[in-house]
Amino acid sequence: MKVALVSDWYYPKVGGVASHMHDLALKLSEMGHEVTIVTNDRVTGKEEELGAKGIGLLKVPGVVSPILEVNLTYGLKSTRELTPFLEDFDVVHSHHAFTPLSLKAVKAARNLEKASLLTTHSISFSHESRLWSALGLTIPLFSHYLRYPHKIIAVSKASKAFVSHFTDTSVEVVPNGVDDKRFRPSQGGEELKEELGIEGNVVLYVSRMSYRKGPHVLLNAFAGIEDATLVMAGSGEMLPFLKAQARFLGVEDHVRFLGYVPDEMLPRLYDMADVFVLPSTTAEAFGIVVLEAMASGVPVIATDVGGIPEIVRESESGLLVPPGNELELRKAIERLLKNEELREFYGKNGRRTVEERYSWDVVARQVEERYLEVLSR
């Protein structure tokens, strides 16, 4: 079948929506479908890879907000003006329920009598993104557009609960996926430690350096831990502050800020970790980095927010702590660093759960089933 994956939030915007769309496109193409990513007219950095895989990239013209990273032009245009971009597809699958291209596409697809689906990756408006402040004025519009998908997919139970406030459309949970062939144990982690000049235990953080991800909480917790190195990978507005915080705490010699890490380095990065930590302070719909760590056989410590407990608790792949609680986070890190047997237990559980439930081989089939179900109506 011919499938369009539509969103404002594809690359170059880095995040869970973009990586989910990209990996889903790769897997659907591998399964024999004709796949095209429909997004805004800017350089994505993925042109060459998509072309080599036979995946289309259709760029919708218009002014893209540098702050919200959404198509302002098509946010103001009628749905009808988006139809020429979508009329050749059997399935139109939008991603992220609260951006213009996604919302206009589900309505356009329904009007074209195509299979119309939407995956929501959100869990609340309660974080610092300026997008939510702007959208707060237009909430009634969401209910209008969310009537049009034949089916809505949520990446977690928490995400389903949130989007259900805006629509009576059927919502089903299909989780995020991870490439468990790319992220797996024994990917050269020890060699990377040598290259970085790191000895001993490694505590790893991979995410944006933004307040809601809680890197500042992790730094404070780490200040009381001995005989370990904290490796923090990611860029973001808090990075200069975090470097100053590490100096103030006197731990700068035991913390490595790697900044932006290219995708090809990530499997090795996870493989050198003894413990992975995601200390989010507010709602996380899912947390793809948690899956990447689990697939790599690394025990996880995360906060008990949003959709994260659905992954960690149900898989017994690590420990959960209250958000913002530095003392409990420190205790959890120390507990795992001191107990190799427990680390192995959580690591093996995580890897097994990924293979059974979160591998893209499994998740893409579930998405395909939803396409076929809608098309058969």
Side-chain angles (χ1 to χ4, degrees):
M1 68 187 82
K2 298 181 71 174
V3 180
L5 303 179
V6 187
S7 185
D8 286 277
W9 281 6
Y10 185 64
Y11 296 107
K13 179 175 173 57
V14 177
V17 177
S19 61
H20 178 106
M21 284 179 64
H22 188 76
D23 289 343
L24 178 59
L26 293 175
K27 183 54 65 172
L28 289 173
S29 177
E30 183 183 306
M31 291 162 62
H33 301 295
E34 294 183 44
V35 184
T36 297
I37 289 174
V38 182
T39 189
N40 292 317
D41 187 12
R42 51 184 182 168
V43 176
T44 68
K46 299 294 183 179
E47 284 81 0
E48 185 175 340
E49 180 184 1
L50 294 175
K53 298 289 187 179
I55 297 170
L57 181 59
L58 183 56
K59 297 183 179 181
V60 179
V63 176
V64 179
S65 166
I67 298 174
L68 306 180
E69 298 193 67
V70 299
N71 194 315
L72 298 177
T73 303
Y74 273 82
L76 298 174
K77 288 190 175 186
S78 70
T79 301
R80 186 172 58 256
E81 292 174 90
L82 193 60
T83 57
F85 297 96
L86 304 174
E87 56 191 1
D88 293 332
F89 298 99
D90 304 307
V91 175
V92 176
H93 184 179
S94 289
H95 288 265
H96 194 57
F98 305 103
T99 53
L101 285 187
S102 300
L103 292 171
K104 296 290 175 98
V106 292
K107 184 175 180 179
R110 192 65 176 261
N111 291 342
L112 287 166
E113 298 185 341
K114 310 292 185 180
S116 177
L117 299 95
L118 180 141
T119 290
T120 178
H121 300 257
S122 301
I123 194 170
S124 77
F125 295 122
S126 59
H127 63 75
E128 81 280 10
S129 170
R130 297 181 188 180
L131 174 65
W132 304 127
S133 298
L135 291 181
L137 302 175
T138 60
I139 283 178
L141 285 175
F142 302 153
S143 295
H144 168 76
Y145 282 103
L146 293 177
R147 293 182 302 169
Y148 288 96
H150 292 98
K151 189 177 295 294
I152 294 176
I153 297 171
V155 296
S156 64
K157 296 173 187 174
S159 182
K160 175 180 177 177
F162 176 60
V163 79
S164 295
H165 291 299
F166 302 95
T167 182
D168 294 325
T169 301
S170 170
V171 183
E172 298 181 13
V173 175
V174 176
N176 273 315
V178 66
D179 186 347
D180 59 335
K181 298 177 182 62
R182 179 167 169 252
F183 292 97
R184 53 190 174 84
S186 303
Q187 292 295 290
E190 287 301 318
E191 290 85 349
L192 182 59
K193 282 178 70 172
E194 291 183 16
E195 292 173 21
L196 296 175
I198 296 174
E199 297 180 356
N201 292 318
V202 172
V203 177
L204 177 65
Y205 168 93
V206 178
S207 196
R208 277 192 58 78
M209 301 299 172
S210 65
Y211 186 85
R212 75 183 185 96
K213 297 291 185 178
H216 56 296
V217 178
L218 176 55
L219 265 180
N220 284 337
F222 186 77
I225 294 174
E226 300 178 354
D227 301 324
T229 298
L230 173 60
V231 176
M232 305 189 77
S235 58
E237 65 277 5
M238 282 192 73
L239 187 55
F241 168 80
L242 294 168
K243 291 180 177 179
Q245 181 183 358
R247 289 193 296 271
F248 174 79
L249 293 170
V251 296
E252 67 268 33
D253 292 339
H254 301 284
V255 180
R256 296 292 185 90
F257 293 99
L258 301 185
Y260 170 76
V261 172
D263 286 346
E264 57 269 21
M265 183 180 174
L266 285 174
R268 300 173 70 208
L269 196 60
Y270 284 107
D271 191 48
M272 79 172 187
D274 297 283
V275 177
F276 175 79
V277 182
L278 184 64
S280 304
T281 58
T282 58
E284 288 274 358
F286 197 89
I288 292 177
V289 290
V290 172
L291 288 187
E292 292 173 350
M294 288 168 57
S296 303
V298 182
V300 171
I301 298 173
T303 43
D304 193 1
V305 295
I308 291 176
E310 298 172 33
I311 314 170
V312 177
R313 183 179 292 127
E314 293 178 11
S315 64
E316 291 189 283
S317 58
L319 302 173
L320 294 169
V321 298
N325 193 317
E326 299 164 9
L327 179 59
E328 290 301 316
L329 180 56
R330 180 183 304 157
K331 288 179 180 178
I333 295 171
E334 289 177 333
R335 181 183 175 193
L336 288 187
L337 289 180
K338 293 176 180 178
N339 192 330
E340 182 177 358
E341 185 177 337
L342 187 59
R343 293 201 305 270
E344 290 182 359
F345 172 78
Y346 286 141
K348 289 179 180 178
N349 286 347
R351 176 66 193 182
R352 182 178 63 253
T353 301
V354 162
E355 292 173 349
E356 295 174 351
R357 193 182 307 170
Y358 298 116
S359 166
W360 270 116
D361 291 331
V362 176
V363 174
R365 291 292 177 192
Q366 294 178 9
V367 173
E368 181 189 49
E369 288 171 7
R370 272 63 182 183
Y371 294 169
L372 295 172
E373 179 184 336
V374 173
L375 287 170
S376 67
R377 293 183 177 186

